[in-house]
């Protein structure tokens, strides 16, 4: 029987100026991500904000190893999304599914994906809007000692 581990990155104001923000760090080896989602905790402003998730592999010394990979394409606009609205990564490279607060479509076309040690980060784009998200990730370690931790709000991505 498999058991998923749940990690939460608490609600924080969204960095909406296209500067990538690290939301989770994978440490100690590879993990299999079963579900990655963001939930609006403060209404998103009227600007045409989009969101995409990416991953950058890091060495044990936190040096970049290889090229970053976009896990999702930029989403449709998140403008005026209500509290409770969600964005779910499909794991296929396609844009995340956006749902309003009534329900989250977390299984439609969803594929598990593996991540090596490194930073999982989000890039939102629109410098003229406001809002906040919390992020949830469910995973299984693929190697002994592999685990995921939530990053502090506004943690820069290592370049």
């Amino acid at each position: 029987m498999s058991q998923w581990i749940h990690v939460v990155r608490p609600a924080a104001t969204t960095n909406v100026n296209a500067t990538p923000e690290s939301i989770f760090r994978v440490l100690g080896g590879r993990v299999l991500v079963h579900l990655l989602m963001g939930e609006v905790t403060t209404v998103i402003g009227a600007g045409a904000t989009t969101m995409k998730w990416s991953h950058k592999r890091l060495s044990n010394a936190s040096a970049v190893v290889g090229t970053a990979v976009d896990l999702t394409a930029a989403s449709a606009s998140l403008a005026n999304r209500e509290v409770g609205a969600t964005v779910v990564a499909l794991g296929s490279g396609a844009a995340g599914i956006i749902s309003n607060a009534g329900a989250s479509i977390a299984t439609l076309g969803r594929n598990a994906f593996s991540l090596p040690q490194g930073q999982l980060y989000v890039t939102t784009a629109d410098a003229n809007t406001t809002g906040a998200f919390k992020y949830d990730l469910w995973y299984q370690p693929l190697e002994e000692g592999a685990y995921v931790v939530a990053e502090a709000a506004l943690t820069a991505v290592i370049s």
Side-chain angles (χ1 to χ4, degrees):
M1 181 157 114
S2 68
Q3 183 175 3
W4 296 1
I5 300 168
H6 180 211
V7 181
V8 177
R9 171 28 172 49
T13 301
T14 302
N15 185 0
V16 292
N17 61 9
T19 301
E21 178 181 357
S22 184
I23 54 175
F24 294 105
R25 176 80 69 105
V26 179
L27 297 161
R30 296 174 302 129
V31 299
L32 185 64
V33 175
H34 290 282
L35 182 59
L36 169 62
M37 64 189 297
E39 180 180 339
V40 175
T41 58
T42 300
V43 174
I44 304 298
T49 301
T50 61
M51 172 187 286
K52 75 173 180 175
W53 284 301
S54 305
H55 181 270
K56 184 177 287 188
R57 186 175 183 159
L58 300 175
S59 70
N60 288 337
S62 293
V64 175
V65 179
T67 304
V69 173
D70 289 339
L71 302 172
T72 64
S75 67
S77 177
L78 296 169
N80 301 310
R81 290 294 165 176
E82 61 200 5
V83 171
T86 59
V87 180
V88 176
L90 296 177
S92 65
I97 295 176
I98 301 170
S99 300
N100 289 325
S104 176
I105 303 170
T107 58
L108 180 63
R110 183 184 55 77
N111 301 301
F113 53 94
S114 67
L115 294 179
Q117 179 169 287
Q119 284 182 310
L120 193 155
Y121 59 97
V122 64
T123 306
T124 53
D126 184 337
N128 300 310
T129 197
T130 57
F133 276 90
K134 80 170 193 145
Y135 299 95
D136 293 275
L137 182 139
W138 286 265
Y139 76 97
Q140 288 177 289
L142 290 176
E143 298 177 274
E144 179 111 11
Y147 62 101
V148 177
V149 296
E151 296 271 39
L154 300 176
T155 298
V157 174
I158 295 171
S159 55

